[in-house]
Amino acid sequence: MIFPKTNRFIYLKNPLDEVISQLRFPPILSIEKDTPYEFQEKIRAYFPEFEELEEIQFPVQAQNIDEVPSALLDLARQTRKKKNFAFLSENRRWKINLSRDFISISTLEYSRWEDFLGKFSHAVENLLEIYNPPYYSRIGLRYRNKIDRSSLNLHDVRWEFLLKEQVLGFLGYEDFEKRTDEFQSTTVLDLHEINSKVRIHTELIDGKNGEKVFMIDNDFFTNEKTNTDQALIKLNAFHKHTGPLFRMCFTEKLHEALEPKEL
């Protein structure tokens, strides 16, 4: 493993903002042909709420705002609408999305991997039973964390004492932190051990009361053709790397402030 091994923890002051997993497959037109009644019945116990959305896809984009008026009619003729069916939990903090070329799950209240994977695997099993996609063209697992110093009673602590210098870059200098209006960094690593990649994106974003929050967005993915019976194996392989990668981003001081509980 490229990332240092670490014990597995849950944090009582969980910095996770959202966790998302998506499986993409070749378009299945029958998903759009009719509202997916049968699929809903299979998952309705966990996801009773429903929304039908339409994504407008523009095959051509105007390069200059001055082009818009004259190009608008032609662009409208080329516009294609793509249906996106959303199935939500009662509190609307869990969501399954189904379209003709992907299924995904997202949550705003992630606690444990087993719970997350269990809900997704149930939906995926029903996707396979009803629609039988031939394979997956992309598999992804994404963890978006937000480090909010105020919520951790660390509002007077500089970032350099909370995050590793490799993560901070120039933001690690005291004088630079005070003067920094924007910061972001993106790195894509090749995880050849599991035939995948991870996109690591860090950014300073606006939080409450005008304070800055540090976001760590780790997106594990593979664009290799994958048999449908291997998808959950791939997601488990991703998950084994998520904790060690996240933990290597920050210091022991932040680790303790998040109130870790070892599993």
Side-chain angles (χ1 to χ4, degrees), residues 69-87:
S70 60
L72 187 58
L73 183 59
D74 290 338
L75 188 59
R77 287 172 177 164
Q78 298 178 64
T79 299
R80 180 168 56 83
K81 293 182 179 180
K82 176 181 173 183
K83 290 184 179 180
N84 186 327
F85 303 102
F87 307 87

Side-chain angles (χ1 to χ4, degrees), residues 2-45:
I2 187 173
F3 311 117
K5 290 184 178 180
T6 181
N7 294 334
R8 188 179 170 196
F9 297 93
I10 60 171
Y11 291 108
L12 300 183
K13 293 185 176 180
N14 195 341
L16 273 169
D17 180 57
E18 187 174 21
V19 181
I20 307 164
S21 183
Q22 184 190 74
L23 307 177
R24 300 195 72 90
F25 45 80
I28 300 174
L29 301 184
S30 61
I31 293 177
E32 283 190 338
K33 181 181 178 182
D34 296 304
T35 303
Y37 306 103
E38 186 178 357
F39 182 82
Q40 183 195 36
E41 284 302 307
K42 298 285 189 178
I43 68 169
R44 192 155 54 90

Side-chain angles (χ1 to χ4, degrees), residues 42-165:
K42 298 285 189 178
I43 68 169
R44 192 155 54 90
Y46 292 111
F47 301 92
E49 300 290 329
F50 174 75
E51 294 177 354
E52 183 175 333
L53 312 171
E54 284 190 338
E55 300 175 1
I56 299 177
Q57 299 181 318
F58 295 96
V60 178
Q61 294 183 352
Q63 298 300 312
N64 190 298
I65 191 66
D66 295 332
E67 298 176 12
V68 173
S70 60
L72 187 58
L73 183 59
D74 290 338
L75 188 59
R77 287 172 177 164
Q78 298 178 64
T79 299
R80 180 168 56 83
K81 293 182 179 180
K82 176 181 173 183
K83 290 184 179 180
N84 186 327
F85 303 102
F87 307 87
L88 300 98
S89 62
E90 187 174 356
N91 66 4
R92 305 181 74 84
R93 295 182 67 80
W94 287 82
K95 181 167 62 175
I96 296 286
N97 283 92
L98 177 66
S99 81
R100 69 181 188 175
D101 56 10
F102 77 83
I103 185 172
S104 68
I105 185 171
S106 60
T107 182
L108 303 175
E109 58 177 19
Y110 182 98
S111 58
R112 296 189 62 165
W113 171 247
E114 290 79 8
D115 182 39
F116 181 85
L117 186 63
K119 286 183 171 63
F120 195 29
S121 62
H122 178 67
V124 170
E125 287 169 6
N126 288 294
L127 170 78
L128 295 173
E129 178 183 340
I130 298 168
Y131 297 109
N132 192 29
Y135 58 85
Y136 297 120
S137 56
R138 188 183 193 278
I139 298 176
L141 177 62
R142 184 177 181 184
Y143 283 72
R144 297 178 70 247
N145 290 273
K146 291 182 179 179
I147 309 301
D148 184 347
R149 290 181 291 191
S150 293
S151 67
L152 300 171
N153 295 318
L154 296 171
H155 54 276
D156 291 327
V157 180
R158 298 201 306 271
W159 289 120
E160 65 176 294
F161 298 115
L162 302 176
L163 298 164
K164 297 289 184 67
E165 61 179 338

